[in-house]
Amino acid sequence: MAPSTPDTDAIFDALIQNRRDPAALRKRVETLEIILERSFVIPGINRPVGLDAIVGLVPVVGDVIAAAMGAYLIWEARNLGMPKWKIWRMIGNLGVDTTLGAIPLVGDAFDLFFRSNTRNLKIIKKHLDKHHPGTMIIDQ
């Protein structure tokens, strides 16, 4: 008898309430983008950085961890039912960030300027604004 595989949908439903609710999804991805790209400010130059750039300072392992955190945004977009071409565009953004970010020193500087998670959040927000206008938030 083969071992049974866990039902991943049941696991995520238990961990994340309102997993398929567009408004809750918007809040999750916006919060994750802030953590990954803008959670700290570099003193002196007042440049916001996040865990993506900080964790990326650790060679190889840091870049893999940053890529995994960025992949969560893509996973959320897939759960939202976004078109495949948008998902592939998001994968491309993350791929460029991960590949160039893995280069020692140059990649760390690149992480400060190429914010794949911010780009991917824009793609998700544009989709939500068009297909789920009730989730739109007016920035002041």
Side-chain angles (χ1 to χ4, degrees):
M1 189 155 123
S4 64
T5 58
D7 182 14
T8 55
D9 282 339
I11 293 169
F12 282 107
D13 285 338
L15 291 174
I16 303 170
Q17 289 74 29
N18 301 326
R19 188 167 65 120
R20 300 208 189 275
D21 177 36
L25 182 137
R26 179 191 226 37
K27 192 172 189 177
R28 281 193 307 272
V29 297
E30 286 177 347
T31 302
L32 183 62
E33 187 270 338
I34 289 170
I35 291 168
L36 291 176
E37 301 291 2
R38 303 179 279 139
S39 53
F40 307 102
V41 175
I42 298 174
I45 61 171
N46 292 330
R47 177 86 177 154
V49 296
L51 285 181
D52 185 17
I54 294 170
V55 171
L57 293 172
V58 178
V60 182
V61 175
D63 296 311
V64 170
I65 292 170
M69 291 186 296
Y72 178 76
L73 287 175
I74 298 170
W75 182 78
E76 285 282 18
R78 186 190 66 73
N79 284 341
L80 185 61
M82 287 179 59
K84 288 187 189 291
W85 70 271
K86 288 182 182 179
I87 300 294
W88 281 108
R89 187 169 165 208
M90 293 172 69
I91 290 170
N93 287 337
L94 184 61
V96 167
D97 188 21
T98 302
T99 304
L100 295 178
I103 300 170
L105 299 177
V106 175
D108 298 327
F110 178 75
D111 274 341
L112 291 174
F113 299 104
F114 187 83
R115 297 173 182 251
S116 65
N117 299 305
T118 302
R119 291 169 187 255
N120 288 344
L121 176 65
K122 283 182 184 179
I123 294 169
I124 293 171
K125 281 174 131 180
K126 194 172 184 180
H127 178 81
L128 284 169
D129 291 348
K130 183 176 181 182
H131 297 286
H132 304 280
T135 66
M136 195 179 304
I137 298 171
I138 298 173
D139 295 327
Q140 293 185 15

